[in-house]
Amino acid sequence: MKYFSYIFFLTLSIAVFANETVTLNDDEIENVGIKVSEIKLVTESLTNKFPAKVTIPNMSQRVISAPQDGIVEIMLVAEGDYVTAGQVLSQMNSPQLLTNQNYYLQALSALSQAEQEMERDKSLFKEGIIAERRYRQSQTLFQKNKTEVAMYRKSLELAGMDINAINLLNKTRALNSHLTIKANSSGVVMKQFATAGQRLTAAEPLYKIAQLSPLWLEIHVPLDTANQVKTKDRLIVCNKAIEGYVIAVGREVHEADQGVLVRAEVNQKTEQLTPGEFLEVCFIQQSTGDQFEVPRSAVFRHEGNSAVFVKTAEGFMHKNIEIVKDNGAKLIIKGDLSIQESIVTAGTATLKAAWLGMGGE
């Protein structure tokens, strides 16, 4: 009853000008709990929220495969581990590697013999003992054997033997069936495909390794919205203040939801995102004309219109506005306002009641 009595007292004590300005003295403003603040000009606004999935860019993913047929002896890292380029990931025992080493050593021997024959024929040709054709044949055989050595050496490198291991094989000619598999780039182990003791064939996967920065956001948006999105448009991950930018807009409407895929890239704060995670994003749009951000408590409805109370030298005057975007606790509005003005952010309902009591239309 005390509150309504005060409203009655307030409606009797206020003055109303022709422009419907409500005047209150300082005591009345304090008692009613009216608070004002400056309005904030915004040059950007956010669209509605859209679902997005965090994914790893294609160029950031690597699959480490078995280079040869063999049996896994040990797996040295597991899912979730961070690895560096050149780090040993696994060891295998591969009988096939013995065969490749044997071919390589045979090719080396053939190359050595071909080189000796070529040098001998070269000397004989210079002395005029043999024809040039004979010398050219020995040169051709030497080049052929040299190519075979390079081919078998490359097969050993692909099998996981580094230059030191191959040089040791050249020197000792001792065959070794043990394979060491190393990471070819730094990153996080996303998945482990094999276990110790498992028999694998060449090219079967062992690990999947990925770099987790940058990351992609795959967003499904309605077709009408997708038509307004362009590459390099900015967006923000809701509730995390993480910004990204559009790198691709799909050209196919998905049958399930009639949406279009928009792909964005995020380069900052990627440690706060997890591949496979679903979240919500908003596109950042440039504002057209002057728009302002105000608290929801500043806006009221009257006769189908949205309005705010603006503080003037004479008191408080209502102005109709248009709500451009509803961001929950904050609203983006536009209307006949300026950043030099202050609006009522608390006590709006009481001020509206007093205004209506004195003839507000």
Side-chain angles (χ1 to χ4, degrees):
M1 292 297 295
K2 182 179 180 181
Y3 174 76
F4 290 106
S5 297
Y6 185 78
I7 292 297
F8 178 75
F9 167 76
L10 179 61
T11 58
L12 292 178
S13 63
I14 61 177
V16 180
F17 291 79
N19 59 359
E20 297 181 355
T21 299
V22 181
T23 59
L24 300 173
N25 60 44
D26 292 342
D27 290 338
E28 291 171 335
I29 291 175
E30 182 178 357
N31 289 333
V32 174
I34 295 176
K35 295 181 181 179
V36 298
S37 65
E38 295 180 352
I39 57 177
K40 177 183 177 183
L41 180 68
V42 293
T43 58
E44 299 174 337
S45 61
L46 300 179
T47 64
N48 294 326
K49 297 178 180 180
F50 298 101
K53 181 181 180 181
V54 181
T55 62
I56 303 171
N58 292 337
M59 61 279 194
S60 299
Q61 303 182 62
R62 301 287 186 274
V63 174
I64 308 300
S65 303
Q68 299 282 311
D69 296 352
I71 298 175
V72 178
E73 291 184 330
I74 186 172
M75 303 289 280
L76 298 174
V77 296
E79 183 175 335
D81 289 344
Y82 181 83
V83 298
T84 57
Q87 180 177 340
V88 177
L89 306 178
S90 176
Q91 292 181 345
M92 294 180 60
N93 193 327
S94 173
Q96 183 182 352
L97 181 62
L98 297 177
T99 302
N100 291 345
Q101 290 174 352
N102 182 50
Y103 288 154
Y104 172 68
L105 294 177
Q106 288 180 8
L108 276 179
S109 299
L111 176 63
S112 177
Q113 182 178 352
E115 184 178 16
Q116 292 176 6
E117 291 179 355
M118 182 186 68
E119 291 298 328
R120 183 195 63 190
D121 288 348
K122 180 180 180 181
S123 177
L124 294 175
F125 169 67
K126 287 182 177 180
E127 295 176 2
I129 298 175
I130 62 174
E132 181 179 0
R133 184 169 62 87
R134 171 75 178 273
Y135 170 53
R136 296 305 178 190
Q137 288 176 341
S138 62
Q139 275 188 319
T140 301
L141 181 60
F142 170 76
Q143 291 298 332
K144 176 184 177 183
N145 290 330
K146 187 176 181 180
T147 301
E148 287 184 350
V149 168
M151 179 184 67
Y152 287 124
R153 182 184 181 94
K154 189 64 177 178
S155 70
L156 294 180
E157 292 176 358
L158 293 174
M161 292 186 66
D162 57 25
I163 187 171
N164 293 327
I166 294 175
N167 290 338
L168 182 62
L169 177 63
N170 292 344
K171 182 178 179 180
T172 64
R173 294 185 172 262
L175 305 182
N176 188 344
S177 63
H178 293 282
L179 273 177
T180 299
I181 294 92
K182 299 180 180 179
N184 51 20
S185 63
S186 300
V188 176
V189 177
M190 303 303 297
K191 192 170 184 180
Q192 176 180 324
F193 297 98
T195 57
Q198 184 176 348
R199 182 179 294 276
L200 300 177
T201 58
E204 281 197 83
L206 291 165
Y207 292 104
K208 178 181 178 181
I209 297 176
Q211 296 175 343
L212 300 184
S213 184
L215 290 172
W216 282 350
L217 299 177
E218 294 189 345
I219 313 151
H220 277 259
V221 300
L223 181 59
D224 56 347
T225 302
N227 290 334
Q228 302 174 18
V229 176
K230 304 180 297 296
T231 56
K232 297 188 178 179
D233 280 357
R234 294 159 55 218
L235 53 82
I236 187 169
V237 178
C238 305
N239 304 323
K240 292 190 177 183
I242 301 174
E243 283 198 21
Y245 61 94
V246 176
I247 60 173
V249 179
R251 303 302 302 167
E252 180 182 5
V253 176
H254 292 239
E255 183 177 354
D257 58 5
Q258 289 296 293
V260 174
L261 176 67
V262 175
R263 182 176 295 111
E265 184 169 291
V266 176
N267 294 292
Q268 57 169 322
K269 302 179 182 178
T270 52
E271 69 280 357
Q272 298 182 28
L273 302 175
T274 305
E277 171 186 12
F278 283 90
L279 38 75
E280 293 181 322
V281 301
C282 297
F283 293 99
I284 300 174
Q285 297 179 330
Q286 295 297 318
S287 301
T288 55
D290 289 344
Q291 297 183 4
F292 308 90
E293 183 181 75
V294 299
R296 178 179 289 275
S297 59
V299 179
F300 65 93
R301 298 284 296 175
H302 178 61
E303 295 185 349
N305 296 316
S306 298
V308 296
F309 282 111
V310 178
K311 189 177 187 306
T312 65
E314 294 80 15
F316 300 96
M317 180 177 65
H318 101 284
K319 287 187 177 182
N320 288 334
I321 55 93
E322 178 184 346
I323 298 176
V324 178
K325 182 71 174 64
D326 187 340
N327 291 329
K330 300 287 186 179
L331 300 177
I332 305 298
I333 66 172
K334 64 180 181 180
D336 183 19
L337 302 168
S338 72
I339 57 174
Q340 286 76 32
E341 293 178 319
S342 297
I343 63 171
V344 176
T345 57
T348 308
T350 302
L351 191 57
K352 176 185 176 182
W355 170 60
L356 292 176
M358 291 303 296
E361 298 178 358

